[in-house]
Amino acid sequence: MSLMALREQLNMLLNSMYIEGLLDQQFQQLQMLQDASSPGFVAEVITLFCEDAERILTELTKLVDQAVVDFQKVDAYVHQLKGSSSSVGAQNVKLACIQFRQFCEENNKVGCLNALNVVKHHYYLLRNKFDTMLQLEQRIQAYDSKQQN
Amino acid sequence: MAVDAEAQFHVLAVDDSLMDRKLIERLLKTSSSFQVTTVDSGSKALQVLGLKEEHQTSTSALSPQHNEIEVNLVITDYCMPGMTGYDLLKKIKESSSLKDIPVVIMSSENVPSRINRCLEGGAEEFFLKPVQLSDMRRLGPHILKGKHKEQQQLHQEENSNNNNMSNKRKVMDEEILSESTRLRFSSSSLNLI
């Protein structure tokens, strides 16, 4: 695929993510922070976010599964995930976390179980698109460096 | 202690989230080419600042250790396990050697009582997360104010040990130094996004 076609695919992917609410304006901030001196910045942040999110989701799954749920602990993890999704611009995940915290506050176990599923749904959808995004970026950068040689 | 007119400002960023540390570091370096050190806890921040908690008493004038680095601004997350950003703020403001270092607090939660508490505790600014490039503009004045206070304090200390001749020369030096700081502020403020 030509460089132009790759770039177009990436743009279309990003646009769809904004339109569908997967990403918000914060992601644009991240893109603004990437430049020649820090070309892998966005990829690095995305990777850190995904690692963080998956670690938290694993913990949450265990915690919400208990006979007696420790809602404070659950809330603390959801708060963390809300923070990192907010920092990376992961809008749908962030919103799902906000809902989740409501159920924690109400000590509502069923609500929490459902909310966790919603968060997971949005997170994995986003993760999928992030993977595609990073692959496209890598191919684009490889193209660029080939052209320069 | 001679102040190097070319020295960069050094910011210490404190956050328990690795992602947020990466972000704040990039924001700081992009907006003003600050020198940045990041740590993941309040206690590590105090170590970097040269304050050993075990030896600190409430009234002791703790002199910074020789191996600590000079920090011109501390920017810290509020919600951290163990020592919160507010706890760190208080420890810095209660230390005679560190109290003039400006402290900025960040939080993902917009809680007015929390914000007021921090500002009343001596924080210069309170940033809502996610922190933006435009927020970085608000740091400049605080860093310079801190630097100026530090120079004044040093000047006072040196003066009390010197005779008249050296005093005159040092007063001239200080004027030249504050001139260069003022000039640097006006040129760097043009560069801040």
Side-chain angles (χ1 to χ4, degrees):
Chain A
M1 206 185 284
S2 76
L3 181 58
M4 206 167 70
L6 282 172
R7 288 213 169 112
E8 210 182 291
Q9 261 211 317
L10 181 57
N11 280 337
M12 273 172 37
L13 174 62
L14 279 166
N15 284 338
S16 74
M17 289 172 82
Y18 284 117
I19 291 171
E20 289 163 30
L22 271 74
L23 293 177
D24 63 25
Q25 183 256 350
Q26 174 61 14
F27 192 78
Q28 285 172 326
Q29 279 274 315
L30 294 184
Q31 291 178 298
M32 274 174 13
L33 291 172
Q34 178 160 300
D35 62 15
S37 70
S38 193
F41 177 69
V42 176
E44 205 184 349
V45 176
I46 287 176
T47 307
L48 284 175
F49 166 68
C50 291
E51 282 170 4
D52 210 33
E54 285 170 40
R55 172 187 62 88
I56 290 174
L57 289 173
T58 304
E59 286 307 311
L60 282 172
T61 307
K62 283 187 228 160
L63 287 169
V64 178
D65 214 20
Q66 308 277 310
V68 180
V69 176
D70 184 347
F71 290 104
Q72 252 195 331
K73 241 185 175 174
V74 172
D75 184 70
Y77 274 114
V78 181
H79 170 75
Q80 265 185 61
L81 183 56
K82 178 184 150 244
S84 26
S85 50
S86 167
S87 292
V88 81
Q91 187 177 260
N92 281 348
V93 176
K94 179 185 76 175
L95 292 173
C97 286
I98 292 174
Q99 297 278 17
F100 197 155
R101 293 191 81 190
Q102 263 305 114
F103 291 120
C104 289
E105 236 164 277
E106 296 163 12
N107 288 359
N108 182 341
K109 178 171 176 176
V110 172
C112 283
L113 279 163
N114 287 336
L116 177 57
N117 284 335
V118 173
V119 172
K120 282 177 176 174
H121 167 79
H122 286 300
Y123 168 72
Y124 284 109
L125 233 130
L126 177 63
R127 224 279 303 262
N128 227 315
K129 304 231 166 173
F130 271 156
D131 284 344
T132 309
M133 187 195 297
L134 292 184
Q135 279 169 36
L136 282 170
E137 271 212 15
Q138 271 174 19
R139 288 168 71 188
I140 290 170
Q141 281 175 13
Y143 221 107
D144 273 339
S145 51
K146 239 181 8 181
Q147 300 283 46
Q148 283 162 22
N149 286 343
Chain B
M1 187 186 116
V3 175
D4 180 1
E6 290 306 311
Q8 283 180 300
F9 289 127
H10 189 168
V11 178
L12 175 63
V14 191
D15 200 314
D16 59 320
S17 155
L18 176 56
M19 235 190 75
D20 285 347
R21 284 200 299 280
K22 280 268 168 249
L23 209 63
I24 194 71
E25 181 179 31
R26 192 86 204 106
L27 279 167
L28 289 164
K29 285 182 169 165
T30 302
S31 63
S32 262
S33 56
F34 290 123
Q35 200 189 328
V36 182
T37 298
T38 60
V39 293
D40 64 4
S41 72
S43 40
K44 290 220 183 108
L46 291 175
Q47 276 177 37
V48 165
L49 291 165
L51 211 63
K52 284 256 187 261
E53 280 174 80
E54 314 93 87
H55 301 138
Q56 188 185 13
T57 63
S58 53
T59 54
S60 71
L62 238 111
S63 55
Q65 309 208 307
H66 291 300
N67 56 352
E68 101 288 3
I69 52 174
E70 194 197 305
V71 168
N72 305 116
L73 180 123
V74 174
I75 180 162
T76 177
D77 189 22
Y78 181 90
C79 265
M80 296 188 292
M83 196 187 297
T84 67
Y86 180 78
D87 297 330
L88 176 60
L89 166 71
K90 294 307 277 177
K91 286 216 192 285
I92 290 174
K93 293 301 164 185
E94 282 160 13
S95 152
S96 56
S97 58
L98 302 178
K99 65 178 166 56
D100 289 330
I101 299 179
V103 180
V104 170
I105 303 213
M106 310 177 275
S107 176
S108 55
E109 304 191 297
N110 191 352
V111 181
S113 56
R114 174 185 296 184
I115 297 174
N116 284 330
R117 193 164 163 252
C118 290
L119 294 175
E120 278 161 25
E124 309 289 343
E125 292 270 359
F126 191 98
F127 289 165
L128 276 178
K129 283 180 160 183
V131 179
Q132 313 278 284
L133 264 172
S134 52
D135 291 322
M136 298 291 98
R137 246 179 269 155
R138 291 151 67 185
L139 297 176
H142 302 302
I143 289 193
L144 279 147
K145 186 176 71 177
K147 202 69 176 149
H148 184 61
K149 267 193 206 164
E150 184 197 320
Q151 282 176 4
Q152 274 187 326
Q153 193 179 31
L154 281 165
H155 175 60
Q156 279 163 20
E157 283 166 18
E158 284 167 353
N159 264 353
S160 62
N161 297 332
N162 285 339
N163 57 35
N164 284 340
M165 277 298 279
S166 327
N167 274 357
K168 282 185 191 159
R169 209 190 65 226
K170 281 200 186 300
V171 167
M172 269 168 50
D173 283 349
E174 200 219 24
E175 280 171 358
I176 292 167
L177 283 170
S178 32
E179 252 308 301
S180 69
T181 310
R182 271 199 295 278
L183 284 171
R184 191 144 54 91
F185 173 51
S186 48
S187 62
S188 66
S189 66
L190 287 173
N191 289 334
L192 288 169
I193 299 165

